[in-house]
Amino acid sequence: QVQLVESGGGLVRAGGSLRLSCVASGRTLSMGWFRQAPGKEREFVVSNRWGGGPIVYGNSVKGRFTLFRDSAKNTMDLQMSDLKPEDSAVYYCAGNEGLIYGPGTREGEYHYWGQGTQVTVSS
């Protein structure tokens, strides 16, 4: 059983930046971030199927968010810049011990989830 713990959420003004971190208690080959705003479905943010492999970003965050991954330490950071009110959501870290063979953009591809960290962007 792998545990994922997120940190770094908070309140920021539009145009500002935040950095989220996720630490896994064990080896997670594939990792990703998702987010969920009130009343909305969980949305894909970014995935990395293996350290050093391609990083896939959701269209809504492409060019503003950057993923940093340290596979040796089982950590993953999400640098979020030029934040917008519509980025407000609970952000969840997701992981798999094994390799995800799909694109890593769907919730069902991941076995492990963190508790989430709240990001609120004020206008």
Side-chain angles (χ1 to χ4, degrees), residues 43-102:
E43 177 190 13
F44 166 73
V45 176
V46 62
S47 69
N48 176 228
R49 292 171 58 228
W50 71 90
I55 298 172
V56 178
Y57 293 94
N59 288 335
S60 60
V61 306
K62 202 172 296 183
R64 301 186 297 120
F65 290 13
T66 305
L67 184 71
F68 297 93
R69 178 121 182 241
D70 188 334
S71 297
K73 296 181 179 179
N74 293 321
T75 62
M76 177 178 66
D77 285 6
L78 182 65
Q79 177 67 45
M80 307 185 295
S81 303
D82 189 22
L83 283 161
K84 305 175 181 181
E86 50 265 41
D87 293 317
S88 297
V90 177
Y91 283 70
Y92 296 92
C93 174
N96 247 29
E97 291 169 295
L99 178 67
I100 288 176
Y101 288 97

